[in-house]
Amino acid sequence: MATLSPFHTIGSHCLNLGANELSKSAVTSCVCKSKVGQSLQRIDVGRKLLPGEVVHNVAQSPRWSLGLRCFAAARVSVEQAEESVNKTSQVDELQKQSTYLFRTETGGQVKVFVCKRSVKYVVDIEVSSLQFSSDDSQLKLSGGLYRSNRDIINQIIETPFIARSSSELALELEFEAEEVPCYLSFLLKASSRVSSSGLKIRSHRKSSFCVPIGLDQGYPAPLGLSFSTDGSMNFAVYSRNAESLVLCLYDDNASEEPALELDLDPYVNRTGDIWHASIEGAWTSVSYGYRCKGNRDTFHAEHVLLDPYAKIIGSSIPNHHESGLLPKHLGRLCKEPAFDWSGDLSPNIPLEQLLVYRLNVMQFTKDKSSKLPADVAGTFSGVTEKVQHLKDLGINAVLLEPILTFNEQKGPYFPCHFFSPANLYGPSNGSVSAINSMKGMVKNLHANGIEIFLEVVFTHTAEGGALQGLDDLSYYHKNSVEDLEARNALNCNYPVVQQLILDSLRHWVTEFHIDGFCFINASCLLRGVHGERLSRPPLVEAIAFEPVLSMTKIIADCWDPYDKMPKEIRFPHWKKWAEMNTKFCSDIRNFLRGQGALSSLATRLCGSGDIFSDGRGPAFSFNFIARNFGLPLVDLVSYSNAELASEVSWNCGEEGPTSNTAVLERRLKQIRNFLFVLYISLGIPVLNMGDECGHSSSGSPSCGSRKHLDWNNMTTGFGIQTTKFISFLISLRKRRSDLLQKRNFLKEENIEWHGSNRSQPGWEDPSCKFLAMRLKADKAEGQLRSEASQLKGDLFIAFNAADRAETIILPPPPEGMAWRQLVDTALPYPGFFSTDGKPILEQMMGLVAYKMKSRSCTLFEACTDGS
């Protein structure tokens, strides 16, 4: 008898099998088939075979863990010989059954039944309708076990079939649980007394027959790792262009090579473009990934890839290949940790009432000055510990820089994954601790009336990201726009990428109770499949109308992490999308350094009607002066060299640190002016982390140059007065929400513009740097209030960006009221702002004159005597 080479039987070509899985269901009864008048015979193979050996005597006693059970049957109809035996006990043992049907190349039929019986796996093979050349022909199974072409099990099986009827032969094999999951790959060999070599019979696709054992077909939905009620784990991943896919299982997160690899059969484990498989949960593996095989230009089978839908990410391990050392992330084989959300309610703050604080989780508390334990500093738990600081400022929303798993060398704006927080933000630098820590932070902030927004980047991934190598032609812009391809730009409006982004957003809302998202590089969300600009991009529209996201805030930020510059575009919004207002930033910076136009200042103060009057309103404008890229606020008034031209900054007379008193006073006024304009303008103010205490990057606009926040700066004279000033401005916005926190634009009759000495503003005069406005309280609203002390008066606000002082004439206040000065940024601390206000005495026939110093802002409120 010829020896069957394991590579003939179990090579990678065995994957293209063409088996049709007929059913997969719990078995409700078990029928034992036997020859009439004869007992069932069990024949075991007793020793482990070495490569090259064959089974000569199948009647030897067993020590080898593979058992063979052959059914003998008379040449009569099997239906005439059926009898039920102990159905109840057999049903308990027979837990699952999968059925596979093959056609042979000679026209016969092969049925394979795979099920688990107690702790063993049973494979029942039935062959029918085969035509033999002689009556003495004998059919044998010749095959072996394998997991992948990288993981071959040295077990050779060669055993005869037993006739069950005149047209049916049968054979049953048993496997121990420790041998699975694996594949049984086999051929049929027909031999006779005349010729022992025999005829090899394959499937109609000219390949070996192959069935999975302990590895079920699985389901194509949901994508990612999911757990069934019976404890089995289902794996599903999208890859349209992969020719084959290998599931890699690891017993140790630190190992560079998987402990087990399973080739997925494209005819059994693939539905459409989704590859899927299911295995029992009781394995020793702790993490998993995939190898994708196909065209060498786009697929690299040597790389183990992270599941894009993995919810828990294991620690990265090195992945050696020709391009150098890159991090490799693996999905963890475990459920997401349970979390007690009882009592958690989102503050659900109206858009126009938001007061936002942007922070980096690591930099916020990592410095020793935060006085937090080492395992808490720089984590989500660290943010929780500093919630009182946010409350002291009056903040009611926190915007977190990207916290999704990212490339730590390039920074948080280059993500590797979209469904899990970065492990480094957890107390133990682990995925589970990061998840629990983040959920605890969200719950704590909600309890303190603070919403949580995430900055997210869905337009590109870092090198070696979760999607690279899985199916680049589907996930990325390829062969369309060269610039996009070089940036690892995601094809966001391609259906499968669009689904991934929506699934990610839904995950963060349902699992982490996130209240809103700020989409970085949002202009790239408008690109079509071929890189063209779309006027109605499907993804942007889908996000606007996604039911799960209906209560979340969605914000477009067109800043590009590659160009380091924002892009000004008309963003389609469907009256749902808000935007980061980069024009507000540039126009206010330009005016306060003495170079901007009055019309630009007026437009920004009133809510940027040139951008948001298209069916939205000022509440959709997220205003900022400084942010996490570019110069922080204190550097904005301290550095303005040629390399910083794009920053529109002004150093107030000297570059960098100085001891010049006049320069320092000018810088202090400018910082107050910036904060004043930020909080007095219509729209949503966004304060950047550290700007309340003079956090500096030493003049570097690079995001990577930002240092950890020094909490000692909060207790300096500058930190104390600036923090109190911000708190005052926020309380003023809340108290005068009728004029400063409006969802809609002010009516024309509610606003007046003034120049100096009550003249008309010099709109057309580029040298004019003074503008004043009067915001009139709505009389109808005031008449509804019964008590005079509750009446709200007008606001008079003036801005002087010139190097000279200006005299302003305040208009007559409403009847029964008098002007009180609340802010003058040129006065020394603590007198430059006042909650109660400083009375202004009437001069010049009932009019009030006030002298404003150079480069300052001032605010007056009309109040009754008792208010």
Side-chain angles (χ1 to χ4, degrees), residues 117-309:
R117 184 177 298 160
S118 186
V119 295
K120 295 185 178 181
Y121 287 83
V122 179
V123 179
D124 187 3
I125 305 172
E126 297 179 356
V127 180
S128 60
S129 303
L130 280 181
Q131 300 297 324
F132 296 106
S133 58
S134 61
D135 292 339
D136 63 348
S137 294
Q138 184 182 34
L139 187 68
K140 295 181 181 179
L141 177 145
S142 179
L145 302 180
Y146 80 99
R147 288 179 176 134
S148 74
N149 59 358
R150 300 165 61 96
D151 185 12
I152 296 174
I153 303 173
N154 290 323
Q155 293 186 359
I156 309 305
I157 306 167
E158 187 152 328
T159 187
F161 282 84
I162 303 299
R164 183 176 289 171
S165 71
S166 59
S167 60
E168 185 178 79
L169 303 172
L171 174 66
E172 186 176 281
L173 310 176
E174 276 190 358
F175 299 91
E176 299 293 338
E178 57 266 21
E179 293 177 308
V180 297
C182 64
Y183 288 92
L184 170 63
S185 180
F186 62 90
L187 303 173
L188 302 179
K189 295 176 68 175
S191 60
S192 63
R193 295 188 183 94
V194 178
S195 174
S196 61
S197 59
L199 172 68
K200 294 180 180 179
I201 303 173
R202 296 177 172 83
S203 75
H204 74 286
R205 289 192 171 89
K206 310 298 182 182
S207 61
S208 302
F209 305 95
C210 181
V211 293
I213 306 172
L215 176 69
D216 210 350
Q217 180 190 28
Y219 306 94
L223 289 171
L225 173 66
S226 56
F227 294 83
S228 302
T229 54
D230 62 359
S232 63
M233 297 179 292
N234 189 78
F235 302 84
V237 63
Y238 171 93
S239 184
R240 166 177 287 184
N241 295 292
E243 296 174 3
S244 62
L245 191 137
V246 181
L247 173 61
C248 302
L249 302 176
Y250 290 77
D251 290 342
D252 183 358
N253 281 329
S255 174
E256 292 192 25
E257 293 297 328
L260 178 64
E261 296 191 6
L262 297 167
D263 280 75
L264 302 188
D265 186 340
Y267 294 97
V268 175
N269 300 110
R270 182 171 182 172
T271 302
D273 298 328
I274 308 296
W275 298 78
H276 46 82
S278 177
I279 62 175
E280 282 197 1
W283 307 107
T284 58
S285 301
V286 296
S287 55
Y288 72 102
Y290 297 101
R291 296 186 195 273
C292 287
K293 303 176 183 177
N295 188 314
R296 286 292 301 174
D297 292 335
T298 54
F299 293 98
H300 302 278
E302 66 272 20
H303 299 174
V304 177
L305 308 174
L306 173 64
D307 178 2
Y309 277 79

Side-chain angles (χ1 to χ4, degrees), residues 747-775:
K747 301 174 184 177
E748 287 189 24
E749 58 266 27
N750 289 113
I751 187 168
E752 291 179 354
W753 298 104
H754 300 279
S756 59
N757 296 318
R758 299 200 70 187
S759 63
Q760 288 298 311
W763 300 115
E764 306 300 329
D765 184 359
S767 65
C768 185
K769 304 302 175 187
F770 176 86
L771 182 66
M773 67 176 181
R774 179 178 184 174
L775 301 180

Side-chain angles (χ1 to χ4, degrees), residues 426-494:
S428 61
N429 285 338
S431 186
V432 173
S433 71
I435 290 172
N436 286 329
S437 178
M438 181 174 179
K439 291 181 177 179
M441 176 198 69
V442 171
K443 186 175 181 179
N444 182 276
L445 292 179
H446 279 177
N448 285 280
I450 300 174
E451 292 191 351
I452 300 90
F453 305 153
L454 300 184
E455 285 189 342
V456 288
V457 183
F458 288 119
T459 56
H460 60 268
T461 64
E463 188 71 30
L467 301 175
Q468 286 189 330
L470 195 60
D471 191 348
D472 290 359
L473 292 177
S474 295
Y475 285 112
Y476 291 91
H477 282 286
K478 294 292 182 182
N479 305 319
S480 56
V481 180
E482 184 177 350
D483 183 48
L484 294 179
E485 185 171 354
R487 293 182 174 202
N488 302 316
L490 286 174
N491 200 346
C492 298
N493 285 293
Y494 190 73

Side-chain angles (χ1 to χ4, degrees), residues 661-726:
T661 303
V663 172
L664 292 175
E665 289 179 353
R666 198 175 297 128
R667 289 178 179 178
L668 182 59
K669 280 195 299 183
Q670 286 290 81
I671 290 174
R672 294 172 180 176
N673 292 339
F674 276 122
L675 293 172
F676 177 78
V677 175
L678 177 65
Y679 284 99
I680 215 70
S681 301
L682 289 183
I684 311 305
V686 181
L687 179 68
N688 203 52
M689 178 190 79
D691 284 348
E692 72 271 33
C693 64
H695 190 53
S696 172
S697 63
S698 301
S700 172
S702 170
C703 187
S705 299
R706 291 294 175 97
K707 305 171 185 176
H708 297 156
L709 181 61
D710 187 349
W711 286 85
N712 291 327
N713 290 340
M714 300 290 183
T715 58
T716 63
F718 175 83
I720 292 172
Q721 65 171 283
T722 306
T723 299
K724 289 185 176 181
F725 185 44
I726 293 171

